[in-house]
Amino acid sequence: MIAYLVRRLLGVAGVLLAICAVTFVIFYLLPADPAAAACGKTCSPERLAEVRRFMGLDQPLWRQFGDYLTGIFAGRELGSGPHAIPCGFPCLGYSYENALPVWDLLMDRLPVSVSLAFGAACLWLVLGLGAGVTAALRKGGLLDRTLMVGAVATASLPVYFTAVMLLYGLVRLTGLLPYPAYVPLTDDPLAWAANLLLPWIALALLYAAMYARQSRSSMIETMAQPYIRTARAKGLPARTVVVKHGLRSAMMPVLTLFGMDLGALLAGAVITESIFGIPGVGRLFFDALQRSDQPVVLGVTLLAAFFIVAANVVIDLLYAVVDPRVRN
Amino acid sequence: MSRRTRMLSASLSTSLALALLGACTAQGGGDRDPDGRQPGVATGTVIGGTPKRGGTLTVLSNQDFAHLDPARNWVMPTMDFGTRLIYRTLTTFRAEPGKKGSEIVPDLATDLGRSSDGGRTWTFTLKPGLVYEDGTPIRARDIKYNVERSFAPDLAGGPDYAQRYLADTEGYAGPLDGKHLDSIRTPDDRTIVFSLRRPVAEFSYTVTLPTFSPVPASREKGVQYDLRPFSSGPYRVESYARGKKLVLVRNTHWDAATDPVRKAYPDRIVVIQGLKGGQIDDRIIESAGVDASAVEWSDLQPSSVAKVLPKPGIRQRLSAERTGCTDMLALNTSRAPFDDPKLRLAMQYAVDKEAQVTANGGPALNDVATAYLPPSLTGGRAAAPVHDGPATGDVKKAEKLLAEAGRAGGFDTTITVSTGDKTRAEALQQSLSRVGIRLRIETVDPSVYYDTIGDTAGAPDMAISGWCPDYPSAATFLPFVFDGRTIKPKGNQGNVSQFRDKAVERRMDEIAAMADATAANKAWTALDREIQRTSPAVPLLWERKPLLVGDNIAGAFGHPSWTGQFDFAAIGLKDPSRSRG
């Protein structure tokens, strides 16, 4: 098991390094010039050259990449002499637009995105699995068909549509909820939840529909397995058959899906955060793109990659818990 | 300055046109004030009367500030915010609406500066007893220090007037290396002397820019100064989470007796950032709870205009001051067909400017431009047109000029616009087709628009381009837009027409060297007319900036010097006790 874990973690490091390199090269080749953006409107060529030198953009690509990697593990100083900016471990570069190290910016925004992702995930798991399993157990019935038509309809609505509809219905028309504005959990848990409820619902609706369909088909497949028939035949209560034998193995594919989705969402939901004005990682990414703030774009990309890869590792380990066959 | 302001307005046009057309019909179109056709309160009026001292003013914003560091702050509304609340400058604009707002008064200085050496040397004396937020004195060398900072490559992006005007700055890269400029002298703590490379008549205006505010060397934090500028104004930064929230509280050391301009009514100013534009509009329209004490930072969204204009109660909370920018149709003079002045002249008569007004949001938010220089630079009035005739164009005259140029049947030409301006390009296409000019429209994404039209080799025949003066002096307008020596092969921003005229350039140098600001202004206005005769661009529109306030806001007016953004020196609350809800 330990050897397995070590092997997996080395694999993770390799994947992250590859993503880092590819992203770095892509940005290097892009026509957008962060130095020109920082230099402003009436920038002379001489001044632009100075700004490039200060930002380290005059260095060859391999050198920039080497410095970047060193910074992640050991921290580094950007620039030299009196202009130098300290950027401690783990240095993911420096946002000249925000005058802050990228790592600080990410850590500032991460709690927001984590709040958004976990809240939404709880909602969609309850809604999606509930609907999916219920539909599967009543396969072909009216309830099944109603739920699945509902799921297809919800899944086909883009989040920017549902978000606007929810805003209109729950905020403007009825005033049930406030206009979302992020309040940290530690400040006021109630306000935290009240403000995030709307984005939670918007995100959850989208995912719940997918999960309902996925868990339904998976559940139907499992319930048709011979061992379920055996379980029923030996007289186990229906509840035990469904929950312990059926649901447990039907959840395997759903779990995989969930790991990927949650991982991706942790690094920010760009559209949802923008529509509801939630200052999470997604919104940071969106603003950075618009301002050619490449270090931030690179940082968020890496963070997203990290979460997805990490989620995969966690899911693989969870397999062992859910599926006794993997343990042996 | 042009770019960012234009970027914002470029996205406005299309849907705004539709919204306003609807709104105007609903009003019967007869609601015009003496100033023109303002949709909200008239120019020169203040929304909500005089504020009471105290309370919390909330600013709802869809974005972060570009830079609050005074050496780097060069976006119009942010310059307003910074210089009115956090840092003071040598001189500043009056906190009054309308024409009076364009007048300058001494701020840190005792007067508007004394020039000698024919306008090449400018001396300012600081008022006695000026202090920072920690009670330490503001010294002349601190202003010198901040001007020097604006040369540092790591503090780029700010106004570049110090680099343009100061003498002997070759190769200077800021004070962080311990090097200082000889062209700024501070013989004592209250005197600062600037030596310029040429006479600058309007230097009293130049020092309204945030570059000319004090930063003590002991507070230097390089790029990180941006996060917490040290206060010399009525408020200091309590907290700033970039892209999320900025909280300003009173600077108790600021002394109103030394400051004739800033009223500093609210106790706290909270800027909430990263909100969605349309939701900001809805919140302020509803004006419920704390939102009653809120103003919006960015323009009212096109989709919200129809929710405001038909309702008198909400409409009277709308400010729509002139932006002070001129929107032009730049004609590419570097090659055929528009290298022919006759043909360019024909364009002045062929274009239907009224159609441009309609396509850009209607008469409520636009006036027809009659000159390159906006009214704020020509004594507060629109200049008399050089090319007379109706705003809808003069087809006969255009046809005659085309015939004289040997293009009687019209010709083929192209225009590149950003996606938001497509409706405007189509209106243009229609008006030009009246005289047989066949216009092909190419649209590009707003994010690459300025790079596309700024690439001189591949530039289209025509482009829609705007310019905003940095302060009310034509010296911050005409030389940026029509001086052939400023043309760059890539990233060419001001002189989009690629207009090169030796006589005009010589005249610009002569006027720039004039020591008498009034005479210089007259000369600029005359030069504007002169340039219009060779017609490198067709002046199209003077736009307005629509901003809404909550119903507990008082003292709100769009300031003419900062593209119609609210003057933060004078804004406050009607009933401060309501703001803590």
Side-chain angles (χ1 to χ4, degrees), chain A residues 114-177:
Chain A
V114 169
S115 301
L116 183 64
F118 276 105
C122 290
L123 259 184
W124 91 59
L125 277 183
V126 170
L127 287 177
L129 294 189
V133 172
T134 313
L137 295 179
R138 286 169 180 64
K139 193 176 80 166
L142 183 64
L143 188 61
D144 176 24
R145 274 177 286 161
T146 318
L147 282 171
M148 284 309 111
V149 168
V152 171
T154 327
S156 52
L157 293 178
V159 69
Y160 42 85
F161 178 79
T162 40
V164 171
M165 286 295 115
L166 284 168
L167 262 175
Y168 190 78
L170 295 179
V171 181
R172 283 204 63 201
L173 217 56
T174 58
L176 285 174
L177 290 173

Side-chain angles (χ1 to χ4, degrees), chain A residues 256-270:
Chain A
T256 317
L257 192 65
F258 181 69
M260 301 284 276
D261 285 342
L262 187 67
L265 210 51
L266 280 174
V270 177

Side-chain angles (χ1 to χ4, degrees), chain B residues 317-337:
Chain B
R317 295 195 265 121
L318 177 69
S319 158
E321 183 56 68
R322 281 201 176 115
T323 59
C325 313
T326 304
D327 181 84
M328 294 167 274
L329 179 67
L331 308 172
N332 186 348
T333 62
S334 74
R335 56 154 203 260

Side-chain angles (χ1 to χ4, degrees), chain A:
Chain A
M1 188 72 186
I2 303 251
Y4 170 73
L5 198 64
V6 169
R7 222 170 36 242
R8 284 304 308 257
L9 289 180
L10 280 178
V12 167
V15 169
L16 287 179
L17 187 69
I19 289 173
C20 193
V22 170
T23 325
F24 214 87
V25 171
I26 290 175
F27 282 120
Y28 191 79
L29 296 175
L30 276 183
D33 184 355
C39 191
K41 293 177 280 270
T42 50
C43 192
S44 67
E46 302 80 44
R47 193 159 164 81
L48 183 64
E50 277 175 33
V51 174
R52 292 186 69 83
R53 196 173 325 125
F54 169 73
M55 292 171 82
L57 296 171
D58 58 333
Q59 302 287 331
L61 176 63
W62 61 268
R63 185 83 177 266
Q64 287 184 43
F65 187 59
D67 287 349
Y68 189 80
L69 285 185
T70 318
I72 295 180
F73 296 107
R76 63 176 165 142
E77 249 187 13
L78 296 126
S80 58
H83 296 268
I85 304 163
C87 178
F89 160 83
C91 176
L92 288 178
Y94 193 84
S95 162
Y96 294 101
E97 289 287 324
N98 287 294
L100 281 171
V102 173
W103 178 257
D104 294 10
L105 278 169
L106 290 178
M107 289 307 110
D108 181 48
R109 302 300 185 93
L110 196 57
V112 183
S113 287
V114 169
S115 301
L116 183 64
F118 276 105
C122 290
L123 259 184
W124 91 59
L125 277 183
V126 170
L127 287 177
L129 294 189
V133 172
T134 313
L137 295 179
R138 286 169 180 64
K139 193 176 80 166
L142 183 64
L143 188 61
D144 176 24
R145 274 177 286 161
T146 318
L147 282 171
M148 284 309 111
V149 168
V152 171
T154 327
S156 52
L157 293 178
V159 69
Y160 42 85
F161 178 79
T162 40
V164 171
M165 286 295 115
L166 284 168
L167 262 175
Y168 190 78
L170 295 179
V171 181
R172 283 204 63 201
L173 217 56
T174 58
L176 285 174
L177 290 173
Y179 280 99
Y182 180 72
V183 179
L185 177 65
T186 46
D187 283 13
D188 183 351
L190 256 171
W192 171 79
N195 276 290
L196 281 171
L197 194 55
L198 214 50
W200 282 344
I201 297 174
L203 268 181
L205 280 181
L206 185 73
Y207 285 94
M210 287 194 299
Y211 278 71
R213 291 173 57 76
Q214 176 72 45
S215 59
R216 174 183 177 273
S217 61
S218 173
M219 192 70 185
I220 288 175
E221 202 181 307
T222 313
M223 293 306 279
Q225 296 287 321
Y227 76 87
I228 295 287
R229 203 174 48 211
T230 312
R232 283 197 213 275
K234 70 181 182 186
L236 286 176
R239 199 186 160 78
T240 314
V241 175
V242 170
V243 176
K244 227 178 152 189
H245 297 268
L247 195 57
R248 195 167 204 179
S249 84
M251 282 311 97
M252 300 300 288
V254 179
L255 196 60
T256 317
L257 192 65
F258 181 69
M260 301 284 276
D261 285 342
L262 187 67
L265 210 51
L266 280 174
V270 177
I271 297 175
T272 311
E273 287 178 13
S274 296
I275 289 183
F276 290 108
I278 304 283
V281 181
R283 175 75 201 206
L284 179 72
F285 183 73
F286 182 73
D287 290 340
L289 269 183
Q290 293 202 317
R291 296 165 81 174
S292 300
D293 195 353
Q294 289 182 5
V296 172
V297 176
L298 187 60
V300 176
T301 310
L302 272 183
L303 185 75
F306 170 78
F307 277 128
I308 292 174
V309 174
N312 268 312
V313 174
V314 173
I315 295 301
D316 284 358
L317 297 178
L318 277 183
Y319 271 172
V321 179
V322 179
D323 189 345
R325 283 170 301 181
V326 177
R327 255 176 275 171
N328 306 324

Side-chain angles (χ1 to χ4, degrees), chain A residues 41-42 47 54 82 275 283, chain B residues 62 74 151 154 160 176 279:
Chain A
K41 293 177 280 270
T42 50
R47 193 159 164 81
F54 169 73
I275 289 183
R283 175 75 201 206
Chain B
N62 60 353
W74 203 12
F151 286 80
D154 46 335
D160 63 350
L176 296 178
Q279 287 167 47

